[in-house]
Amino acid sequence: MEKIGLKNENILRLEIVDEKGNDTGEYIEFDLEDIELPFKYQEIIERIKKSKQKLKNQFNIIEKKQDHKGKKLMSSNEELKLKALTDFYKEQEEIYDMFLGKNGVRKLLNGRNLRWTTLKEIDELIEKQIAPKLDITMDKITKKIKEKYSSEKEENVLE
């Protein structure tokens, strides 16, 4: 039986290492010819801002509530803030995974829990290591498209 398949070119594959620099065996991939990738990047930036503002608003509302002793160690307002923060982290993970791929955040965390400092680390990784490579490839994609369609005969163009 014959086999067929498409080439897997222009894939940016980033191997994930732990805090000591050891290979974890995990990786994230980006199809550098995916024309929706810049839109995904733009979308996560917008959604992250909205999510942070939502958390800030929730904290402001909670702080205005009458606080009283909770069921266990924390006060009722502290419990509400913790719940809001937990929901925020889940939402952040979903947002980043839109761009990093399925379980991208979990792979980067390498068994750690998501927290404020790891969100900043992920932002830096995207901004300094991934996004610059995507900008370069968008130029390449545009150039390839222009080359492909400029070489076709004019008679194939609909008028």
Side-chain angles (χ1 to χ4, degrees), residues 65-79:
K65 290 184 176 187
Q66 179 78 29
D67 199 9
H68 58 290
K69 185 172 173 19
K71 296 177 184 176
K72 297 183 181 179
L73 296 175
M74 295 183 282
S75 71
S76 61
N77 284 3
E78 289 172 330
E79 287 177 11

Side-chain angles (χ1 to χ4, degrees), residues 5 69 73 86 89 130 132:
K69 185 172 173 19
L73 296 175
T86 301
Y89 286 143
I130 299 170

Side-chain angles (χ1 to χ4, degrees), residues 1-149:
M1 180 179 284
E2 291 186 43
K3 296 180 181 182
I4 62 170
L6 298 175
K7 294 178 185 176
N8 205 8
E9 295 177 344
N10 294 315
I11 301 295
L12 174 62
R13 184 175 183 164
L14 303 169
E15 293 183 26
I16 299 173
V17 295
D18 63 16
E19 61 278 353
K20 295 177 183 174
N22 300 319
D23 189 8
T24 64
E26 295 284 358
Y27 59 89
I28 53 176
E29 285 185 341
F30 298 91
D31 180 351
L32 297 178
E33 289 189 2
D34 179 0
I35 60 173
E36 291 187 13
L37 204 51
F39 294 119
K40 290 177 186 176
Y41 181 57
Q42 186 176 356
E43 177 73 16
I44 68 161
I45 291 171
E46 291 172 13
R47 288 188 60 188
I48 287 168
K49 286 179 186 176
K50 288 179 184 177
S51 181
K52 287 179 180 178
Q53 185 60 47
K54 178 181 160 186
L55 179 66
K56 184 178 177 182
N57 293 342
Q58 287 177 320
F59 271 41
N60 287 335
I61 292 168
I62 293 168
E63 288 172 3
K64 292 178 182 176
K65 290 184 176 187
Q66 179 78 29
D67 199 9
H68 58 290
K69 185 172 173 19
K71 296 177 184 176
K72 297 183 181 179
L73 296 175
M74 295 183 282
S75 71
S76 61
N77 284 3
E78 289 172 330
E79 287 177 11
L80 289 172
K81 285 182 180 180
L82 188 59
K83 169 99 172 77
L85 200 53
T86 301
D87 292 343
F88 170 77
Y89 286 143
K90 287 179 186 174
E91 183 178 28
Q92 291 293 296
E93 186 172 340
E94 290 172 10
I95 292 169
Y96 281 109
D97 280 350
M98 287 173 40
F99 182 71
L100 297 172
K102 186 177 180 180
N103 297 320
V105 173
R106 289 278 127 213
K107 291 175 183 178
L108 287 172
L109 290 172
N110 193 32
R112 297 186 301 173
N113 288 324
L114 190 59
R115 52 186 193 263
W116 201 261
T117 54
T118 53
L119 288 174
K120 287 183 180 182
E121 287 179 57
I122 293 170
D123 285 341
E124 287 177 12
L125 286 174
I126 292 172
E127 184 180 323
K128 294 179 181 175
Q129 292 183 321
I130 299 170
K133 293 176 182 173
L134 301 180
D135 288 341
I136 292 169
T137 58
M138 285 310 300
D139 292 338
K140 289 180 184 178
I141 292 170
T142 304
K143 185 178 176 182
K144 282 183 182 181
I145 290 170
K146 285 180 182 177
E147 287 173 2
K148 177 181 178 183
Y149 291 106

